[in-house]
Amino acid sequence: IIKLGAGSYFEVLALHGHGVDPRPFFALDRQFKSAEHPWVDSEWHACLLRAGDPSFKLSESERTLRMMLDWLRQVRSGAREISFFELMNLSEKEALPFFTAGGMPLNHASGLFRRKPGYQPLLGGVVMSNFTRQFRGRVKYEREYRFGTQKAVLLSSAAGPVLIFWQEGEQAEAI
């Protein structure tokens, strides 16, 4: 549709999912001489869990790290907005194997908050809440650093610079 001139009929490219990559769409814009469009992740699935998928075995800490790294990757790729798919779990992780065994379609948990036994934030919700309070306005990905098994990313916004770092290896390493 870009080849046929559709590029002039929309303003923003909306993608959704976990691990989305706008570069193939930008390549089509360049190939067919359409203006490159800004992009948003309209349904971010970084927290999505389904019984039987590899993500189902992730601990809350691993799931939160996956979410944060995907958020950083999207900011680096120029995402203007990143919208969570669901803030509240429709089903809890513990119930997913039962739903799957019963043939329930679209059985997943993907919220930042549990609904049962009572409303409570998951680790990813707490981390995202505290993390996003560090910024004001548009977040800019400045640069990244690597020190052995440690990685760091420098971000900036109207609130000032923020340095984020984490360890990718299994063995503890001095900062």
Side-chain angles (χ1 to χ4, degrees):
I1 65 172
I2 297 295
K3 182 179 180 179
L4 297 173
S8 61
Y9 291 97
F10 69 97
E11 296 174 4
V12 176
L13 173 65
L15 302 174
H16 78 268
H18 165 68
V20 295
D21 185 354
R23 291 178 299 181
F25 298 96
F26 296 161
L28 288 172
D29 282 338
R30 284 190 302 276
Q31 180 181 352
F32 298 112
K33 299 181 182 20
S34 173
E36 189 171 291
H37 296 85
W39 77 281
V40 299
D41 190 338
S42 60
E43 285 186 20
W44 186 31
H45 293 179
C47 295
L48 187 74
L49 297 176
R50 284 198 176 100
D53 286 353
S55 64
F56 187 75
K57 295 179 182 176
L58 295 176
S59 69
E60 279 301 307
S61 294
E62 292 166 332
R63 184 179 178 200
T64 299
L65 179 61
R66 179 182 79 160
M67 179 180 71
M68 294 303 301
L69 294 177
D70 194 56
W71 186 90
L72 288 169
R73 187 193 53 72
Q74 289 187 65
V75 170
R76 183 179 186 194
S77 296
R80 288 216 176 153
E81 294 178 11
I82 303 169
S83 301
F84 284 104
F85 173 55
E86 293 175 334
L87 291 178
M88 192 74 60
N89 275 348
L90 295 179
S91 302
E92 299 306 330
K93 179 179 179 178
E94 298 82 4
L96 294 180
F98 299 106
F99 289 136
T100 300
M104 182 179 174
L106 299 176
N107 43 49
H108 64 270
S110 60
L112 294 176
F113 297 87
R114 293 179 67 93
R115 286 163 53 124
K116 296 179 181 174
Y119 295 119
Q120 60 184 353
L122 293 163
L123 178 61
V126 174
V127 168
M128 280 307 286
S129 176
N130 287 310
F131 180 66
T132 57
R133 285 188 200 139
Q134 308 306 310
F135 305 103
R136 195 170 64 244
R138 187 162 309 281
V139 177
K140 183 177 178 192
Y141 194 102
E142 297 289 350
R143 64 181 64 107
E144 57 188 63
Y145 308 92
R146 181 171 289 283
F147 315 95
T149 62
Q150 297 175 15
K151 193 166 185 180
V153 170
L154 178 62
L155 303 171
S156 65
S157 74
V162 174
L163 181 66
I164 303 156
F165 60 94
W166 65 96
Q167 183 169 316
E168 293 181 333
E170 295 291 325
Q171 299 296 320
E173 190 173 325
I175 296 176

